Amino acid sequence: MTTYTPYLVSSYGVAFIAMFFLLIWVRRQRQRTLKRLKQWFKRDFQ
Amino acid sequence: MWRYFYQFSSPKIFYERMQRFIPWLAWAAALCLVVGVIWGLCFAPSDVQQKDAFRILYIHVPAAFLSMGLYSFMGVLSLIYLIWRIKLAGFLIKMVAEIGCLMTLLALITGSIWGKPMWGTWWIWDARLTSELILFMLYAAILAVHHAYPEGEQADKLIALLVIVGLVDLPIIHYSVVWWNTLHQAQTFSFFSKSHMDASMLPPLIWMLLGFSFYSSAMILTRAKDALLWRERRQKWVKSLIEVSK
């Protein structure tokens, strides 16, 4: 543990948490698109 | 070879190729980031003046590099869209903007965290910092236009024009440390000239640069692939694809 450890932890932490959330958001968007498409086709056929 | 690249303008071919390509990109990104972080935090020697705080640059530099790199890519896409009317290019701009916006925000935040122990302040209205903040605002403006306008060619054209106008900020960011006497240090790493960084500190930076680039590409292509599916929903190939996935 040095004087700079909190700065290192916060910078790496912020970056990787942001990248992780982006990954989750992208995956959710994918599922949302597929769901929307299925509903759209269902409505189209009815 | 040209034929191979030209085929990418077809949404169906683009979708099929990306479906196979994205997992490779994602694994490459994970590998590069793990190697880069371990090497950067555990094995790279600490700096004489900055001590361990210099290790923040292994995150800050790739984020800043991509914030500008992705904007340049958006500029190329805008030109392709406006000159050759390739719809896929206009459509990709918005996907690149989402990731570019995050990278710019990361560059600003990590730079600020580095600035506190090194400069004694979180923020200063320095030329480099201010021009990077303007880049973030440009990304935000592009995303705002994208959300304000319904999908279609008019929105794509407006976004492409906005991107081209914003390109003027890139040379300002790059040369800000040369044109003005700034607190931000001059360029220490370059692909084309001798680097001012010690050779033992360089490999983790290259791994992190590769990792961030692969990660951004995987995210952009995944977003593009899904948005493309929705945009092309009236096409037969999308219908058959959804039927197969049921």
Side-chain angles (χ1 to χ4, degrees):
Chain A
M1 182 95 177
T2 67
T3 326
Y4 302 111
T5 309
Y7 298 105
L8 274 177
V9 171
S10 47
S11 58
Y12 278 71
V14 164
F16 284 105
I17 288 170
M19 284 161 84
F20 178 72
F21 273 106
L22 182 74
L23 186 78
I24 301 290
W25 179 74
V26 166
R27 283 179 70 91
R28 281 209 176 155
Q29 289 295 109
R30 170 148 186 81
Q31 284 159 1
R32 227 183 103 203
T33 311
L34 291 175
K35 204 176 159 186
R36 260 175 93 195
L37 272 170
K38 279 173 191 169
Q39 281 171 348
W40 191 80
F41 280 119
K42 216 173 160 183
R43 210 170 45 219
D44 198 39
F45 283 120
Q46 283 168 355
Chain B
M1 192 186 85
W2 283 112
R3 204 180 149 205
Y4 179 82
F5 285 108
Y6 193 71
Q7 283 174 338
F8 275 93
S9 61
S10 154
K12 187 184 175 223
I13 293 175
F14 178 84
Y15 185 89
E16 285 169 354
R17 291 201 178 146
M18 288 310 118
Q19 188 85 346
R20 285 195 299 258
F21 185 54
I22 291 168
W24 289 99
L25 265 181
W27 282 111
L31 177 78
C32 292
L33 288 174
V34 167
V35 173
V37 168
I38 294 173
W39 199 332
L41 288 179
C42 308
F43 299 108
S46 100
D47 187 71
V48 178
Q49 286 179 321
Q50 301 183 26
K51 307 286 181 228
D52 282 330
F54 104 94
R55 296 178 206 277
I56 294 174
L57 300 190
Y58 291 135
I59 292 279
H60 174 70
V61 173
F65 172 80
L66 274 169
S67 71
M68 290 172 70
L70 290 176
Y71 200 92
S72 314
F73 181 50
M74 278 164 56
V76 173
L77 287 172
S78 300
L79 288 175
I80 291 174
Y81 178 70
L82 292 173
I83 296 168
W84 289 290
R85 299 268 167 208
I86 293 177
K87 282 183 187 173
L88 197 62
F91 168 79
L92 268 173
I93 297 171
K94 287 166 278 185
M95 311 300 141
V96 180
E98 287 171 352
I99 314 302
C101 190
L102 177 86
M103 288 299 153
T104 315
L105 187 64
L106 281 182
L108 287 168
I109 293 173
T110 53
S112 180
I113 296 171
W114 179 84
K116 182 64 184 166
M118 290 298 113
W119 299 341
T121 179
W122 297 103
W123 182 264
I124 189 165
W125 293 102
D126 173 275
R128 172 61 71 88
L129 275 70
T130 310
S131 50
E132 185 73 13
L133 183 67
I134 291 169
L135 185 70
F136 175 70
M137 288 172 179
L138 279 167
Y139 274 121
I142 289 159
L143 291 176
V145 171
H146 167 50
H147 288 287
Y149 269 79
E151 59 182 73
E153 277 193 48
Q154 201 191 355
D156 288 349
K157 204 186 277 180
L158 190 67
I159 288 171
L161 286 170
L162 188 63
V163 169
I164 288 173
V165 171
L167 277 176
V168 76
D169 191 38
L170 293 186
I172 297 176
I173 298 175
H174 186 75
Y175 291 107
S176 57
V177 288
V178 181
W179 291 341
W180 295 287
N181 186 19
T182 61
L183 193 56
H184 192 285
Q185 68 197 62
Q187 192 178 6
T188 45
F189 172 74
S190 169
F191 285 110
F192 307 107
S193 56
K194 197 176 178 291
S195 177
H196 296 294
M197 211 173 178
D198 190 78
S200 60
M201 293 170 172
L202 266 179
L205 185 61
I206 292 166
W207 281 103
M208 291 299 273
L209 272 170
L210 286 173
F212 268 68
S213 307
F214 290 146
Y215 169 84
S216 303
S217 311
M219 293 299 107
I220 290 165
L221 292 173
T222 310
R223 286 284 295 129
K225 194 168 64 95
D226 298 338
L228 189 74
L229 216 55
W230 178 251
R231 195 150 157 162
E232 298 287 312
R233 64 189 179 275
R234 288 180 182 87
Q235 306 297 322
K236 272 184 184 170
W237 67 271
V238 178
K239 203 170 161 183
S240 52
L241 202 87
I242 295 299
E243 276 166 2
V244 169
S245 72
K246 271 179 186 172

